[in-house]
Amino acid sequence: MVTFNRRAFLRLLFATSAARLMGKVAPAALAATGLKFSAPKPFSYSWLKQYVRERAAQPYQPPPQPDPSIISKIDYDAHGKLRYRKEFSLYRNSAYPISFQHVGKFFPHTVRMYAVDGTMAREVLYDPSYFTIGENHIATGLEEQPSAFAGFWVHEPVRRGSLDEVEPWATFLGASYFRGVGELGQVGLSARGIALAPGAPGPEEFPDFTAYWFEPAENEAAPVTVYALLDGPSIAGAYRFLLHRTSGVVMDIEANFYPRRTIERFGIAPLTSMYWFSETAKPTMVDWRPEVHDSDGLEMWTGAGERIWRPLNNPPRITISSFQDNNPRGFGLMQRDRNFDHYLDGVRYHKRPSAWVEPQGDWGRGAVQLIEIPAHDEIHDNICAMWVPEVPPGAGNHIEMAYRLHWLAGSPYPSRLARCVATRLGKGGQPGRPRPEGVRKFMVEFLGGPLAELPYGTLPEPALSTSRGTFSYVYTEAVPNNIPGHWRAQFDLTVDGNEPVEMRCYLRDGDTVLTETWLYQYHPILKP
């Protein structure tokens, strides 16, 4: 998996009901936007799936790309000047207008856009006048064909303010990346249509969404419907997105995959995020801020009902962790720490959304895989979480998957158990004595749930296990901050060698489980 320059991505990405007749978009409503359209052609989701099936049986043809010598020069500054003129927004008088984004250095491939009118679709024809292209801008040298559209934004209703001033709530831009706004009003991590062997040796393949078809929302309570064509050297796919604007964003996603070859690590519902450092581990004086991350952990709800929290790492080398499961109930990359004082940054990391994948239907056996890549700055996405089926799909297979993707502040289905809220590492041993080599102290904090209801004098017991090494100085205590239900487990781990250590911990009262299960991968190469 190659890291993605997310700082440039973030900067580039954000800078009255439609007339309807018998459930169709009136052609006059489209014409009133000033956009140019092709002649209508038949369209349906069934047609798209059949088209993709036939396409997958043919050799891959990459999407058109405008003059690379020009596109390579449309960097961050040049792209920022290519603002889409909102008077040309598709469905601009509907519940949720749609605007388009221009190709550039970071988004070089063209994407075709279509407006669906019942059983017919009209392509939105690119015209340079849709964008603020100045006389001396490098983009003036581009021809009108092929199209210079690279992606799209879904906007808030016009009644809420100027489309140039109110940030969009859903964005699709670059390869198969897309994002939603969380309920705290921020964007952060990204989702992807598919992930093919991230973290493997060699360059990762990034299939592209090469065409979108749009159906407008009938009202603000209804979804925007988007159909998408995915294509790449190893796979083709047909998607249907129902985009719901809620307190955050909820996306109902159906995906049909048609591989061109066998794919060993086939990542479904992949999430991509950034984790540089947190209270868990931070190199000395690497940065002035206490924490920098878009997500701080992987949360899982297994098919058997276990609730798991795995804090993220910025590891010394690429690591891939697999969590075997059968019909998982959900997983997500979450941002749990909401305290501004823990970040002190004006980019509002404390408000970044969490993204939760809720499987629909039978996903069978497989694993949630977590890929963690070393990162030395916040500009790179270095975290990926995804579902990998037990049996790799081969050429000619048809894989159909459905899931609901929640962009919220936390899990849409919170556990009744206490949550892990911090993982802290230090030198092992006891104060006032020489600290022994190869011993690491852990402080794992839990908050809420049954811990807040423990009778006075009850001391929860830590249930600990490790893949290797031995524990010592194991005990629990209430965190001395007068917050009910805030407890921590403390223990030392003695281990030899530099290979990673897998640990588990939860708190219990007799046979009663009080907390979710904390999993952690410790890298002893990070010396105390």
Side-chain angles (χ1 to χ4, degrees):
M1 176 183 176
V2 297
T3 57
F4 187 73
N5 191 316
R6 61 181 308 283
R7 175 65 72 175
F9 185 88
L10 286 170
R11 287 174 173 170
L12 289 177
L13 194 57
F14 279 91
T16 25
S17 300
R20 301 182 66 88
L21 179 60
M22 299 180 64
K24 300 181 180 180
V25 180
L30 294 178
T33 63
L35 293 169
K36 299 178 182 179
F37 294 90
S38 69
K41 295 181 179 180
F43 175 80
S44 69
Y45 188 35
S46 296
W47 171 86
L48 178 59
K49 288 187 284 187
Q50 181 60 32
Y51 174 75
V52 170
R53 183 192 297 271
E54 295 170 358
R55 191 179 184 92
Q58 304 299 320
Y60 169 67
Q61 296 292 327
Q65 181 177 349
D67 189 340
S69 65
I70 294 178
I71 296 300
S72 64
K73 297 176 183 176
I74 304 179
D75 56 13
Y76 160 63
D77 290 328
H79 197 279
K81 297 174 183 177
L82 294 173
R83 298 178 65 85
Y84 189 77
R85 300 180 188 276
K86 300 307 187 297
E87 61 266 28
F88 292 110
S89 295
L90 182 64
Y91 313 127
R92 71 181 185 199
N93 294 319
S94 72
Y96 300 113
I98 294 170
S99 67
F100 303 118
Q101 301 305 303
H102 203 281
V103 293
K105 179 179 180 179
F106 299 102
F107 319 105
H109 294 152
T110 65
V111 182
R112 305 183 78 165
M113 309 292 182
Y114 297 84
V116 177
D117 174 10
T119 60
M120 307 297 285
R122 304 166 189 261
E123 183 176 2
V124 181
L125 302 178
Y126 170 78
D127 189 303
S129 66
Y130 300 158
F131 294 89
T132 55
I133 302 177
E135 290 184 3
N136 298 320
H137 197 284
I138 184 65
T140 57
L142 292 175
E143 301 292 335
E144 292 190 19
Q145 295 297 327
S147 166
F149 293 138
F152 69 92
W153 292 355
V154 183
H155 294 270
E156 302 286 3
V158 174
R159 65 175 182 80
R160 297 189 182 177
S162 167
L163 298 188
D164 285 321
E165 297 176 0
V166 180
E167 287 190 344
W169 57 268
T171 62
F172 286 65
L173 183 62
S176 68
Y177 284 86
F178 58 96
R179 303 197 298 178
V181 171
E183 57 192 322
L184 300 180
Q186 273 281 296
V187 294
L189 77 168
S190 302
R192 293 161 61 182
I194 196 70
L196 305 181
E204 182 180 351
E205 180 180 329
F206 290 87
D208 293 283
F209 282 139
T210 61
Y212 296 107
W213 290 259
F214 304 100
E215 291 180 352
E218 295 186 19
N219 53 61
E220 292 182 26
V224 175
T225 302
V226 180
Y227 304 93
L229 165 62
L230 179 86
D231 208 5
S234 301
I235 195 170
Y239 290 72
R240 178 169 59 189
F241 296 84
L242 301 181
L243 310 180
H244 305 264
R245 184 65 167 114
T246 62
S247 60
V249 173
V250 175
M251 301 177 176
D252 287 314
I253 302 171
E254 180 184 322
N256 293 264
F257 305 110
Y258 303 90
R260 291 187 168 97
R261 65 171 180 84
T262 299
I263 302 171
E264 293 299 328
R265 192 184 304 147
F266 184 70
I268 294 170
L271 303 172
T272 302
S273 192
M274 181 275 295
Y275 174 88
W276 189 13
F277 59 84
S278 68
E279 77 279 342
T280 301
K282 174 184 176 180
T284 303
M285 293 185 291
V286 68
D287 192 86
W288 63 271
R289 293 162 293 183
E291 301 186 35
V292 176
H293 51 77
D294 275 339
S295 306
D296 52 9
L298 169 65
E299 183 175 342
M300 292 173 280
W301 188 9
T302 70
E306 185 179 15
R307 299 289 193 140
I308 295 173
W309 177 251
R310 163 59 155 78
L312 296 178
N313 277 321
N314 185 353
R317 55 185 177 271
I318 295 176
T319 62
I320 301 174
S321 303
S322 291
F323 307 94
Q324 303 296 319
D325 204 354
N326 184 24
N327 283 319
R329 301 188 189 186
F331 67 92
L333 290 175
M334 319 300 280
Q335 183 78 317
R336 283 191 173 177
D337 192 336
R338 298 295 180 188
N339 191 327
F340 170 78
D341 291 342
H342 293 178
Y343 302 94
L344 301 176
D345 196 316
V347 300
R348 301 191 293 180
Y349 283 120
H350 64 297
K351 291 191 174 183
R352 298 295 165 95
S354 298
W356 179 262
V357 175
E358 178 187 355
Q360 306 289 301
D362 188 346
W363 278 28
R365 302 193 66 84
V368 175
Q369 287 196 352
L370 174 66
I371 297 93
E372 298 165 301
I373 300 175
H376 305 290
D377 205 331
E378 65 198 285
I379 66 171
H380 299 296
D381 278 342
N382 63 319
I383 302 294
C384 181
M386 61 190 186
W387 174 256
V388 179
E390 184 176 62
V391 179
N397 289 163
H398 171 212
I399 304 97
E400 184 174 6
M401 306 292 290
Y403 57 100
R404 178 168 290 171
L405 185 55
H406 303 261
W407 305 84
L408 301 170
S411 170
Y413 307 106
S415 171
R416 65 169 189 83
L417 299 173
R419 301 189 314 157
C420 179
V421 294
T423 300
R424 309 180 193 277
L425 277 64
K427 291 184 176 181
Q430 298 301 301
R433 300 180 184 179
R435 299 300 177 102
E437 291 293 326
V439 180
R440 178 69 74 184
K441 185 175 297 294
F442 290 83
M443 306 283 284
V444 183
E445 296 183 17
F446 298 94
L447 176 65
L451 289 177
E453 302 168 359
L454 286 177
Y456 180 78
T458 300
L459 187 66
E461 173 189 2
L464 281 170
S465 63
T466 181
S467 60
R468 61 192 187 89
T470 58
F471 291 118
S472 59
Y473 301 113
V474 179
Y475 66 92
T476 59
E477 64 178 357
V479 177
N481 58 2
N482 296 318
I483 296 177
H486 194 180
W487 287 76
R488 61 189 175 203
Q490 181 178 160
F491 50 89
D492 284 4
L493 174 72
T494 303
V495 65
D496 294 324
N498 292 330
E499 290 303 308
V501 181
E502 303 290 347
M503 293 183 289
R504 295 173 61 95
C505 176
Y506 64 90
L507 301 185
R508 64 189 178 191
D509 180 18
D511 294 331
T512 302
V513 176
L514 303 174
T515 71
E516 63 186 358
T517 301
W518 170 85
L519 302 183
Y520 190 67
Q521 185 180 77
Y522 168 54
H523 293 267
I525 194 171
L526 303 174
K527 297 296 184 181

